[in-house]
Amino acid sequence: MNKAVLTIITLAWLGSAAYSQNFSGTYDWKDTDNDESFTLVLKQSGNKITGGHRASDMLGRESYTNSISGTVSSGVAYLVCYSGDCTLKTTVKQLSNGQIEWKVTGVTGQGEYYVPQKAIMKKKQSGSSNKKNYYYEPKMSEISGAVKMETFYGPPGYGENPATDRKEAYGILYLNSPINVIATKEDMEEGVNTHKYNVSRIQLVSTTGIKFSRFQNKKVHIIGTFSGAITGHHHTSVLMHVIKISEIK
């Protein structure tokens, strides 16, 4: 065989082998003892990776972003994640049985992000990642789940000074099944509502005086509109402005 042809074939094989480890998928990690969770969504094309994450800590505080980018080299994904005012440098390594090792290797900025420093994450099976898609306001949506009243730290420090911060109780809907909430092009341009994946907890909001405490630990059906978290009073990545709520008998 011609040496030039052989060289080209060899280089092509080496190139394909370098990217044979595909990181595309949705990965989950949970610390049930501390009520912390972390979801990572990655998409690989060649040696380029993009994606997003959602994380929450034991106080119910959350961070989320759709601004993960990076490259794959020698079977390791080197990622940069922009979350709040922080820039995180991380590595992701593939393990056996569909697991990955996530590790934060550097942080710049003073913001909070709540992702674990190190975690072994399990990849979701393709069949289980087919969540139902919903959309932000003004589109109306119907969802079901169980209501739980939960207490969070409010002003002035929103958890930074537990001894003096005010405590605020909110109704949180735990969905029967996780969902995706998809942003339109206009939503993305405005920069408030972005794609949120694998959403399982939704803070309930009412402008008509609905007392969600009446539905504590009850299964309900809700009609309303979705919006993204904006202020320190918002404790889940997606909120629902409730128009109608009814108990499921």
Side-chain angles (χ1 to χ4, degrees):
M1 181 180 293
N2 185 286
K3 289 185 178 181
V5 174
L6 180 60
T7 300
I8 293 172
I9 293 174
T10 301
L11 290 174
W13 179 84
L14 289 173
S16 63
Y19 310 138
S20 62
Q21 290 180 298
N22 196 304
F23 289 87
S24 296
T26 299
Y27 303 86
D28 281 327
W29 171 85
K30 288 186 178 181
D31 182 345
T32 54
D33 291 336
N34 295 310
D35 195 24
E36 297 178 339
S37 64
F38 178 43
T39 297
L40 184 65
V41 181
L42 300 177
K43 183 178 180 180
Q44 180 177 342
S45 178
N47 72 328
K48 305 294 185 182
I49 289 186
T50 57
H53 88 266
R54 175 180 178 272
S56 63
D57 70 358
M58 62 190 302
L59 298 178
R61 298 177 298 184
E62 296 188 335
S63 68
Y64 40 87
T65 180
N66 290 308
S67 301
I68 290 178
S69 61
T71 58
V72 177
S73 178
S74 300
V76 179
Y78 296 89
L79 306 179
V80 176
C81 171
Y82 302 97
S83 182
D85 295 324
C86 285
T87 301
L88 311 180
K89 291 185 178 180
T90 69
T91 59
V92 175
K93 298 179 181 179
Q94 286 190 334
L95 306 177
S96 60
N97 301 322
Q99 294 182 320
I100 60 170
E101 179 191 70
W102 157 278
K103 185 177 182 180
V104 177
T105 58
V107 180
T108 57
Q110 302 299 316
E112 296 178 318
Y113 52 89
Y114 314 124
V115 305
Q117 289 296 114
K118 187 175 181 179
I120 303 300
M121 308 183 70
K122 187 174 182 180
K123 186 176 184 179
K124 287 192 173 182
Q125 299 300 317
S126 58
S128 63
S129 62
N130 294 326
K131 307 295 186 301
K132 185 173 181 180
N133 290 340
Y134 289 82
Y135 297 88
Y136 290 102
E137 56 189 351
K139 187 173 181 62
M140 300 284 291
S141 298
E142 298 187 33
I143 54 176
S144 300
V147 175
K148 295 184 183 296
M149 298 302 298
E150 298 185 5
T151 302
F152 302 89
Y153 288 110
Y158 296 93
E160 294 297 325
N161 303 293
T164 57
D165 289 344
R166 190 172 69 205
K167 294 181 176 62
E168 302 176 332
Y170 294 99
I172 306 295
L173 183 73
Y174 283 77
L175 294 171
N176 292 334
S177 300
I179 64 172
N180 302 323
V181 183
I182 306 302
T184 63
K185 180 180 179 181
E186 289 75 18
D187 288 330
M188 301 291 283
E189 289 174 349
E190 291 174 1
V192 176
N193 296 329
T194 57
H195 302 319
K196 299 295 187 300
Y197 301 102
N198 198 36
V199 176
S200 59
R201 298 168 64 250
I202 294 177
Q203 182 175 337
L204 303 177
V205 179
S206 172
T207 58
T208 58
I210 297 174
K211 302 295 183 183
F212 298 114
S213 57
R214 293 175 44 226
F215 300 93
Q216 168 79 323
N217 295 324
K218 294 180 179 178
K219 294 182 178 180
V220 297
H221 179 262
I222 296 178
I223 300 174
T225 58
F226 289 117
S227 67
I230 301 175
T231 75
H233 298 285
H234 298 162
H235 301 284
T236 59
S237 59
V238 175
L239 291 78
M240 170 161 272
H241 297 263
V242 178
I243 296 173
K244 182 180 179 181
I245 179 171
S246 56
E247 182 180 356
I248 299 175
K249 300 294 186 178

